[in-house]
Amino acid sequence: MESIKDKVAIIGIGCTRFGERWDKNAEDLMVDAVYEALEDSGLESKDIQAAWLGVHTSFDTGQPLAQAMKLEYIPITRVENACATGSDAFRNACFAVAAGVYDMVLVAGVEKLKDSGMTGLVGGGGSPGTNVAPPSTAPASFSLAPQRYAHHYGMRPEDLKKALAHIAVKNHHNGSLNPKAHFQREITIEQALTAPMIAYPLGLFDCCGVSDGSAAAIITRPEIAKQIRQDYVLVKGLGLAVGGNQGYLQSRYDFVHFEECVAASKQAYEQAGVKNPLKEIDHAEVHDCFTSTELIICEDMGWAPRGKGPEYVMGGVFDLEGELAVNPDGGLKCFGHPVGASGLRMMYEITKQLQGKAGPRQRKNPTLGLAQNLGGAPATSSVAVTILGARD
Amino acid sequence: MAGIISFGAYVPIWRLGEGTKDWGSKAERSVTNFDEDTLTMSVAAAADCLAGLDRKAVDGLYVASTTFPYGEKQAASTVATAGDLGSSIFTSDVGNSLRAGTIAFKMAMDSVKAGSGKRVLVTAADVRLGASRSDIERNGGDGAAAFLFGDTGEAATIDAQHAVVNEIIDNWRPEGETGVRSWEDRFVFQEGYLKAVGQCVTELLQKTGLKMEQFDKVILYAPDARRHAEAVRLIKADPKKVQDPLFGKLGNTGAAFALMQLVTALEEAQPNQRFLVVNYGDGADALVVHTTAKITEVQKLPRRGMKGFLASKKAVPDYADYLKWRGMFSADSGVRRPAGGGPSPAALYREQAEVLRFQGVKCNKCATVQYPPQRVCTICHEKDNFTPIRLSDSKAKLFTYSMDYIAGTPDVPLVISVLDFAAGGRAVLMMTDRDTKEVKIDMNLELTFRKLRLAGGIHNYYWKAMPVR
């Protein structure tokens, strides 16, 4: 089995402002993101030979991308993998480039969530079934983990709450430095702790934004990238692990980790040759749909020992100036979470960081950045881990 | 000889009473939660009656009520399936009269006597709904009783029965209405209740040659405590021998009322005691129930019974909650969530073992229990080699849970529970009949059959978790 390391390069990247985009429809958002990526690469849409579109519920098929961008009869594949859709679209596009089948490939991700008029995420259609599963909202299914976490490690719930508040405050701080973020205001620990309860222990500020937005990337092989720009970014590892409902079928699942996350990170670390992730990875965009999810991911990725996540969080290890900055762009929490676009939004920030173009959020000379994107919920999910690096 | 070989009951955990704001009465009555109805209570009473017995031996089922969920669509077939009974059985609904319970009782007994059924189950249940603040609401109650009839191992025999018919519009509920209507009081009781009860008891005594003093207990249906006392005087029963009708504790549970009293009497009975049971509705039924030496043994079956269910109760916090549960008052939940669509009857039909019987599977190779049923084992990957296992009556413990304040359900916060069964296997279910303060990891849970929602004209039933009662 060959590693994907250094076989694919990002030469253009774009991302819209995320948020309540009453002013734009999903096609408009795609046009904005894709044009930004094209301008970043210096290419035109006629240079694109194939495209992948990541979209969760807003569209079916790859056609909307062709319709919005007026792409002329090129192959376009729509990819859907719940909240990991954007990363998985990128992953599949990378394989086409690495295989040498296409030279110039576009990956776009988009989601229009706010037009539904509903609270939180609203599931897609599909055939009616028995409809007996609990009407579980995302906060409810994710709160199953922190609820058990405190019990499992014998933590006082109020201490766990404080660590979660630290994550919320950190991500709001990072978001305040990001003009494209959905939420750009700082919050205090006090505000996070006293916010209205959504699904215990998750209060309002523990939950990410539900947003509209789009992000896009242009990828090619490194030897072509060299001719286009000097600061292209290399793909170092692509992991994906998909759950088979083991967490609900097997009583041994503990609800304090994501097995899919452990498996996907192992794949990506092996490909990238990462041995000591906390030391080697400079910054990471992780799937903080809820603050508790970020906490557990940091343990699953091997950045904090099991049960020590709260200590590391409180110690500032994952702060913007910390040893490994987690969600320097504000994360799902503040940048927002237009499902199909989120994975590509993560790669947008990492690319900008590696190119030294992250403005007030810029880390010092980063060489490796990581995106962790999770679709599903504790007990069964799809987790994609993407490692990107600056060119040698 | 045909007789009762087991009995059981169900009383919802909720009471309107002193602890209920704005109820306005010290007297308690039982009420179903928002997710309960006649059908779910019938399933619960059937499980109580069959506890410790072989469910597959049941070959007939009569479900009695005046409040069935459907005008066309049998309730008994759902009760039989949720009760995990066999499929080669006779099922029937018995309805449209307050006397439906004793009518079903007679039908089951006649069937065993005639040899067409060997083990026939009867359930009777009602949700009594009157206009807000009406006497029917105040004196009503919700509950269910169940009896298993057979021709061996009888705990009690039915020595005699008598029925009279009295065509009268005294209490009635037209098609399409939810509340019971009543004509003027004095007419209703003099020409209806007292007349039919008096005639039926007099004729039963004449027919059998029994005298009132030969009964150890007298069990009477009555709309309220005052009419109950009048009927006792009328038939000249010794008040000391009259079974407490539980007004002020349970309330008049309609088609189930007389039979729930009979369950209480059987729970406390000695061998060789004679009970008179009188039921009313469009006439009257009178039965002579006679306990045998077996009663002591049958009393020991692991049922919760009337005694257990009455002792386990919670006060409905506010009369407005009750009105909300019954759909008589709608409060904005404050969040916008999509309304659940109607289920697919094809999916419900195909997944009956999972949804109604609540069966998981046990792998024949590695013995791992899995819910819902799987084709391929999650541990050893063995294919299509499983044995079904009923988990609806397995004890369970709470592994983790969530409290969802935005789910948009009537019971905010919605408690979603991940539970591990003592029999093995794990499920994720909503939790009902809970006080959020008592919800803790490792707490003991049991399953209860509930109505999830009415969507697309379909009452969608499934199981929920609840704290052990």
Side-chain angles (χ1 to χ4, degrees):
Chain A
M1 207 157 69
E2 260 182 68
S3 168
I4 193 80
K5 190 182 175 188
D6 297 334
K7 289 182 177 150
V8 181
I10 298 176
I11 50 163
I13 198 123
C15 185
T16 65
R17 181 169 60 78
F18 283 5
E20 289 170 339
R21 299 299 305 268
W22 310 121
D23 56 328
K24 307 252 172 170
N25 64 24
E27 287 87 347
D28 296 333
L29 292 166
M30 278 195 295
V31 167
D32 289 348
V34 174
Y35 269 89
E36 187 187 337
L38 285 169
E39 281 157 23
D40 186 40
S41 67
L43 300 179
E44 290 175 51
S45 67
K46 65 174 171 44
D47 301 324
I48 302 300
Q49 295 160 347
W52 270 258
L53 173 64
V55 55
H56 177 49
T57 55
S58 302
F59 291 127
D60 294 321
T61 84
Q63 292 173 41
L65 181 59
Q67 289 159 3
M69 286 299 301
K70 308 295 176 292
L71 300 173
E72 300 281 352
Y73 307 105
I74 63 167
I76 304 178
T77 301
R78 180 243 181 147
V79 173
E80 197 288 316
N81 208 341
C83 296
T85 291
S87 294
D88 205 8
F90 180 80
R91 180 177 154 274
N92 281 279
C94 284
F95 295 148
V97 170
V101 180
Y102 308 109
D103 295 336
M104 289 295 168
V105 167
L106 166 68
V107 198
V110 67
E111 214 68 52
K112 183 77 190 156
L113 296 176
K114 296 304 297 181
D115 283 5
S116 76
M118 292 292 173
T119 307
L121 271 185
V122 178
S127 311
T130 60
N131 296 12
V132 295
S136 199
T137 61
S141 29
F142 276 91
S143 71
L144 294 170
Q147 191 80 254
R148 184 72 196 181
Y149 189 97
H151 178 89
H152 186 92
Y153 292 113
M155 267 185 101
R156 293 190 317 165
E158 52 270 36
D159 291 336
L160 178 61
K161 251 319 242 181
K162 275 183 202 153
L164 301 183
H166 184 105
I167 293 172
V169 168
K170 165 183 72 78
N171 289 351
H172 270 272
H173 169 71
N174 297 352
S176 76
L177 305 173
N178 186 347
K180 286 188 171 177
H182 186 160
F183 302 115
Q184 300 179 25
R185 259 187 250 169
E186 301 230 32
I187 60 160
T188 63
I189 294 281
E190 184 63 19
Q191 278 175 300
L193 290 174
T194 55
M197 196 49 67
I198 302 297
Y200 186 86
L202 305 174
L204 184 65
F205 289 115
D206 292 303
C207 306
C208 74
V210 175
S211 328
D212 304 325
S214 177
I218 316 284
I219 58 175
T220 184
R221 286 192 301 284
E223 57 270 28
I224 303 172
K226 273 179 204 140
Q227 298 155 25
I228 294 173
R229 66 191 297 167
Q230 294 314 300
D231 58 350
Y232 60 87
V233 161
L234 288 166
V235 173
K236 299 287 183 181
L238 292 172
L240 178 72
V242 175
N245 210 30
Q246 289 92 335
Y248 283 125
L249 290 173
Q250 303 175 13
S251 304
R252 63 189 182 190
Y253 173 62
D254 60 13
F255 275 91
V256 300
H257 82 289
F258 300 93
E259 193 63 37
E260 295 84 355
C261 190
V262 175
S265 63
K266 192 166 170 273
Q267 296 168 19
Y269 288 156
E270 271 176 22
Q271 291 164 17
V274 170
K275 303 271 186 293
N276 184 345
L278 182 61
K279 298 272 176 256
E280 295 173 52
I281 310 263
D282 171 78
H283 61 275
E285 291 296 327
V286 307
H287 201 87
D288 60 326
C289 50
F290 301 96
T291 51
S292 52
T293 318
E294 176 171 323
L295 172 80
I296 289 171
I297 290 165
C298 288
E299 294 183 11
D300 287 340
M301 301 302 293
W303 307 333
R306 291 275 170 220
K308 299 286 179 206
E311 230 172 83
Y312 275 52
V313 164
M314 298 300 281
V317 176
F318 308 119
D319 288 0
L320 187 55
E321 302 77 20
E323 196 173 348
L324 194 169
V326 172
N327 291 323
D329 68 357
L332 301 176
K333 176 75 203 71
C334 285
F335 205 133
H337 184 27
V339 179
S342 282
L344 286 154
R345 181 274 298 162
M346 295 174 175
M347 289 170 218
Y348 174 81
E349 174 71 6
I350 295 167
T351 301
K352 295 292 178 193
Q353 287 280 355
L354 294 173
Q355 292 171 336
K357 295 177 179 169
R361 308 183 306 282
Q362 184 61 49
R363 296 272 297 175
K364 217 181 271 171
N365 305 319
T367 52
L368 274 189
L370 179 147
Q372 185 275 359
N373 196 191
L374 185 154
T380 192
S381 62
S382 302
V383 174
V385 173
T386 308
I387 301 178
L388 303 179
R391 66 169 297 193
D392 302 327
Chain B
M1 198 180 169
I4 297 167
I5 58 177
S6 185
F7 47 87
Y10 176 76
V11 182
I13 201 165
W14 299 101
R15 304 285 185 278
L16 289 166
E18 247 183 318
T20 308
K21 187 173 165 275
D22 287 342
W23 170 234
S25 163
K26 284 189 176 164
E28 271 184 6
R29 62 157 287 182
S30 63
V31 285
T32 44
N33 203 340
F34 73 93
D35 55 3
E36 295 183 281
D37 66 4
T38 281
L39 201 150
T40 66
M41 290 197 293
S42 305
V43 171
D48 196 48
C49 176
L50 295 172
L53 302 173
D54 178 13
R55 297 192 186 197
K56 301 294 181 208
V58 175
D59 58 3
L61 171 66
Y62 293 90
V63 172
S65 181
T66 65
T67 46
F68 287 115
Y70 294 104
E72 179 184 334
K73 163 80 191 87
Q74 202 181 57
S77 59
T78 313
V79 174
T81 312
D84 199 25
L85 307 181
S87 59
S88 304
I89 71 172
F90 178 84
T91 58
S92 179
D93 290 352
V94 182
N96 290 56
S97 169
L98 277 174
R99 234 175 351 128
T102 44
I103 292 168
F105 201 88
K106 179 179 183 299
M107 290 163 80
M109 196 179 65
D110 287 348
S111 154
V112 173
K113 261 190 201 160
S116 70
K118 289 214 163 305
R119 288 281 182 278
V120 180
L121 183 65
V122 170
T123 64
D126 253 337
V127 176
R128 290 302 277 175
L129 203 58
S132 179
R133 304 284 183 207
S134 66
D135 285 352
I136 288 171
E137 180 186 86
R138 199 165 303 121
N139 295 315
D142 301 339
F147 296 86
L148 184 62
F149 289 86
D151 54 5
T152 52
E154 311 90 297
T157 55
I158 316 302
D159 289 355
Q161 53 87 19
H162 187 67
V164 297
V165 67
N166 184 30
E167 167 53 19
I168 184 169
I169 296 176
D170 52 351
N171 288 306
W172 74 103
R173 187 167 62 84
E175 189 79 51
E177 290 188 13
T178 52
V180 177
R181 294 187 186 217
S182 184
W183 196 251
E184 187 266 331
D185 261 20
R186 300 191 62 79
F187 166 74
V188 165
F189 297 118
Q190 286 170 15
E191 295 306 308
Y193 178 66
L194 293 174
K195 193 171 181 177
V197 164
Q199 183 195 342
C200 191
V201 171
T202 306
E203 289 176 9
L204 175 86
L205 296 181
Q206 279 167 2
K207 193 159 126 182
T208 58
L210 287 166
K211 296 195 169 24
M212 214 38 158
E213 51 271 28
Q214 286 175 277
F215 291 103
D216 297 285
K217 278 240 168 100
V218 175
I219 293 160
L220 278 175
Y221 168 90
D224 56 43
R226 185 178 149 206
R227 312 303 163 180
H228 188 267
E230 279 181 34
V232 169
R233 276 196 297 278
L234 175 77
I235 64 170
K236 298 187 174 62
D238 176 355
K240 287 198 288 294
K241 290 184 175 176
V242 174
Q243 179 70 36
D244 176 3
L246 299 172
F247 285 111
K249 292 186 190 120
L250 171 72
N252 170 7
T253 56
F257 192 32
L259 294 180
M260 289 173 81
Q261 294 182 52
L262 175 59
V263 171
T264 311
L266 288 169
E267 284 171 8
E268 298 160 350
Q270 306 287 323
N272 195 25
Q273 285 191 322
R274 197 179 279 126
F275 302 158
L276 172 65
V277 182
V278 185
N279 199 9
Y280 174 76
D282 314 292
D285 278 337
L287 303 158
V288 179
V289 178
H290 198 155
T291 60
T292 70
K294 282 259 185 198
I295 184 76
T296 329
E297 201 181 303
V298 172
Q299 282 167 342
K300 286 179 192 143
L301 286 169
R303 72 173 63 80
R304 206 159 266 151
M306 285 295 289
K307 208 176 156 202
F309 279 119
L310 280 174
S312 141
K313 59 180 183 177
K314 287 185 167 116
V316 177
D318 195 316
Y319 181 64
D321 293 320
Y322 164 76
L323 292 178
K324 203 163 75 183
W325 291 355
R326 293 290 85 83
M328 294 158 83
F329 156 68
S330 78
D332 186 6
S333 70
V335 291
R336 274 175 55 72
R337 297 289 308 156
S344 154
L348 287 174
Y349 178 74
R350 187 173 58 241
E351 316 299 347
Q352 260 172 36
E354 169 191 340
V355 173
L356 294 180
R357 294 183 190 273
F358 208 81
Q359 287 178 349
V361 290
K362 188 172 189 169
C363 176
N364 290 335
K365 193 175 164 201
C366 75
T368 304
V369 175
Q370 293 149 63
Y371 178 85
Q374 302 292 309
R375 293 285 308 277
V376 178
C377 177
T378 183
I379 297 286
C380 73
H381 302 163
E382 182 80 350
K383 179 169 168 283
D384 293 329
N385 188 15
F386 295 97
T387 305
I389 173 170
R390 180 175 68 237
L391 295 170
S392 64
D393 53 350
S394 173
K395 290 188 173 70
K397 269 193 195 302
L398 184 62
F399 187 79
T400 188
Y401 64 99
S402 70
M403 289 200 194
D404 188 341
Y405 290 82
I406 59 163
T409 52
D411 52 346
V412 174
L414 171 67
V415 179
I416 293 175
S417 46
V418 175
L419 52 154
D420 287 341
F421 293 101
R426 174 176 272 187
V428 52
L429 299 173
M430 290 185 257
M431 194 188 293
T432 189
D433 287 358
R434 83 291 180 276
D435 178 343
T436 51
K437 287 191 286 297
E438 69 184 339
V439 178
K440 286 196 173 60
I441 285 174
D442 288 338
M443 75 187 289
N444 292 312
L445 297 171
E446 60 184 289
L447 294 202
T448 177
F449 192 65
R450 295 295 164 111
K451 185 163 95 178
L452 298 189
R453 62 186 77 84
L454 173 66
I458 296 167
H459 298 276
N460 206 3
Y461 295 95
Y462 189 48
W463 297 82
K464 290 186 180 182
M466 68 170 176
V468 168
R469 281 184 73 176

